[in-house]
Amino acid sequence: MIPRKPLGFLIFAALAALAAAFVWFGLPHDREVKSLGIFLVKLLPFIFATEAVARLDVEWAKRIRLALWTVPPAFLVYFLYFVPKIFFFGGVEVGSREAFYGLYYHVLTVTPLIIMAMVLAFRLGGGSAALVRRLSYGMLLLMLSGLEDFAFLTVNDHTDPAYATIPDVWDWASHMTVFLGHPPTKYEAYAFILVHVVLALAVFFSPQRWWDSLKLRFVRTESA
């Protein structure tokens, strides 16, 4: 049986998910608003999600560490679907390599800002310092992992033969190259991604006493 306190949150969260699925999969992805009715329907996921968050029982959320189960997945939806799509459509539209590099730089620069905005909101809402560190460092590891590079190759419908299949050498992945000393092969990239994902999961789900111990050490150092 679902506890009464989080029931309102769970109901509105479910409504938000259903409304979002309907808008994304059931309505055309038009740039123009065709009618007031469609416009209002497209606002429903946001409205339901807002009401869900407003009804969230904070103590219940802290008790089950809800932030660990919601904030990183929300970030990954942005980073592993929408960012690759932005790069894919941007690469088609911008018309020059320099313009695409500018788009790439700006999107990857704003991504840490999004992480910080998420953890700042969590902290202002009463989230613990230890969980802020877990979320922030864990999501940074996911950002640096190369998952987005893999997603770019798999979630988009590539017509360029160079990306129609996963390349044997990822010569564009400079953040991997600086660690390895050479452009990674496909399987080296997979290993790089796996290591970072494992490290991120370790940050998210390591025992709380480790983080409490880290805090105590900092306090003792400052006191000394």
Side-chain angles (χ1 to χ4, degrees):
M1 184 175 177
I2 299 174
R4 186 172 180 178
K5 279 190 174 182
L7 190 58
F9 164 75
L10 294 172
I11 290 172
F12 276 93
L15 289 172
L18 290 172
F22 174 74
V23 169
W24 190 256
F25 297 108
L27 296 178
H29 294 189
D30 290 332
R31 183 186 66 84
E32 296 180 356
V33 177
K34 298 294 179 63
S35 71
L36 179 60
I38 291 177
F39 176 71
L40 295 175
V41 167
K42 287 186 175 183
L43 290 179
L44 285 177
F46 184 87
I47 293 170
F48 286 146
T50 298
E51 291 305 314
V53 174
R55 285 168 168 77
L56 178 61
D57 181 68
V58 176
E59 293 305 316
W60 172 77
K62 287 181 179 179
R63 190 162 59 250
I64 67 168
R65 294 184 182 174
L66 186 64
L68 285 175
W69 302 99
T70 53
V71 176
F75 171 71
L76 288 177
V77 170
Y78 154 77
F79 194 60
L80 299 187
Y81 183 79
F82 288 100
V83 169
K85 288 292 185 182
I86 290 169
F87 288 156
F88 180 71
F89 292 121
V92 172
E93 296 297 332
V94 292
S96 72
R97 186 176 295 271
E98 290 73 20
F100 176 74
Y101 287 163
L103 170 68
Y104 188 91
Y105 182 82
H106 280 76
V107 171
L108 291 190
T109 300
V110 79
T111 298
L113 178 61
I114 289 173
I115 292 175
M116 293 313 304
M118 296 172 84
V119 298
L120 175 61
F122 173 73
R123 181 63 168 157
L124 290 172
S128 69
L131 204 46
V132 165
R133 293 188 179 98
R134 288 192 194 210
L135 291 170
S136 191
Y137 297 141
M139 287 189 286
L140 181 65
L141 283 167
L142 292 174
M143 176 186 168
L144 299 176
S145 67
L147 275 173
E148 184 274 322
D149 297 275
F150 180 74
F152 177 81
L153 297 168
T154 53
V155 304
N156 295 310
D157 298 321
H158 292 280
T159 57
D160 186 339
Y163 300 107
T165 58
I166 296 178
D168 291 328
V169 177
W170 293 19
D171 54 5
W172 70 90
S174 57
H175 69 293
M176 296 184 188
T177 299
V178 297
F179 276 96
L180 300 175
H182 60 271
T185 65
K186 175 170 60 177
Y187 296 107
E188 287 175 332
Y190 291 165
F192 190 93
I193 291 170
L194 180 60
V195 168
H196 280 74
V197 170
V198 169
L199 288 173
L201 291 174
V203 170
F204 290 143
F205 299 111
S206 54
Q208 179 65 28
R209 64 180 182 275
W210 293 2
W211 297 90
D212 292 338
S213 173
L214 179 66
K215 181 180 178 181
L216 286 173
R217 287 174 188 170
F218 276 123
V219 171
R220 288 169 184 167
T221 301
E222 289 171 0
S223 298

